[in-house]
Amino acid sequence: LLIIYLLFVSIYINKTLRLHPEGFMAHYLKGFYFLGQNNLEKALWAFEQSVKNRINNGDAHAEIGHIYFEKGFYNKAIEKYMTAIGFMNNNPLTYLHLAVSNYNIGDNQKALYYLEVCINRHPTYMPAYEKASEMLGAMGDLESQQYVLQEM
């Protein structure tokens, strides 16, 4: 059933691209199609085309950031996440990956700041609490870690 659905989506997206080759939404959706096929390079291309056609597509910037994150290119991911947030992307995963990317390049202050922003904006998003607890424990701040665990 999933294969039939993906085939239908592929046909729809390709038809949309033929009718509107500069359509930002068609490229954006095609990016998800390629993500579903685990083809990060083609997904990256599709999301970049979406951004090329509509620069203020914050969600596409975030998806590019997620691809860079998955590839371990944390500085590039941070740049895209900041752009996404600037265009009003308020997805908790964007903030979580922004925090983890900062942590992975050694900026613990920014990592904790963005986790706090994520938790304040999305208080029911448990992965942010889990990552905050993990980071605080790794930093040796057991008191703050305990506080975060109690908040979960």
Side-chain angles (χ1 to χ4, degrees):
L1 187 61
L2 179 60
I3 293 171
I4 294 170
Y5 174 74
L6 287 175
L7 181 61
F8 175 75
V9 169
S10 176
I11 292 168
Y12 172 76
I13 291 170
N14 284 322
K15 182 178 179 182
T16 304
L17 279 171
R18 276 193 306 276
L19 294 173
H20 307 283
E22 300 303 314
F24 81 97
M25 187 53 77
H27 286 292
Y28 181 69
L29 294 173
K30 192 156 193 150
F32 285 107
Y33 172 76
F34 288 131
L35 284 178
Q37 294 183 329
N38 203 27
N39 189 332
L40 296 182
E41 292 307 315
K42 285 187 176 182
L44 181 61
W45 172 85
F47 290 126
E48 286 175 342
Q49 292 303 306
S50 180
V51 165
K52 180 180 170 186
N53 293 311
R54 182 167 288 172
I55 190 72
N56 66 347
N57 185 349
D59 294 334
H61 284 285
E63 293 304 327
I64 294 169
H66 296 329
I67 292 170
Y68 286 142
F69 180 88
E70 290 299 320
K71 293 176 144 212
F73 301 139
Y74 300 115
N75 286 315
K76 286 183 173 185
I78 290 168
E79 181 181 321
K80 281 301 182 180
Y81 292 143
M82 294 304 295
T83 301
I85 290 168
F87 288 125
M88 305 305 285
N89 177 286
N90 192 31
N91 187 321
L93 185 61
T94 301
Y95 285 98
L96 178 63
H97 280 183
L98 178 58
V100 173
S101 293
N102 276 288
Y103 181 78
N104 287 339
I105 65 167
D107 195 336
N108 296 346
Q109 287 294 101
K110 282 186 181 175
L112 292 174
Y113 169 78
Y114 287 114
L115 280 173
E116 184 177 0
V117 170
C118 184
I119 289 169
N120 285 336
R121 291 184 181 196
H122 307 280
T124 60
Y125 188 63
M126 287 300 116
Y129 291 92
E130 293 164 359
K131 190 53 74 175
S133 173
E134 179 185 319
M135 284 182 190
L136 289 165
M139 292 178 208
D141 188 346
L142 302 180
E143 186 176 323
S144 296
Q145 181 188 35
Q146 188 63 33
Y147 176 78
V148 168
L149 289 171
Q150 289 173 352
E151 291 295 308
M152 290 176 66

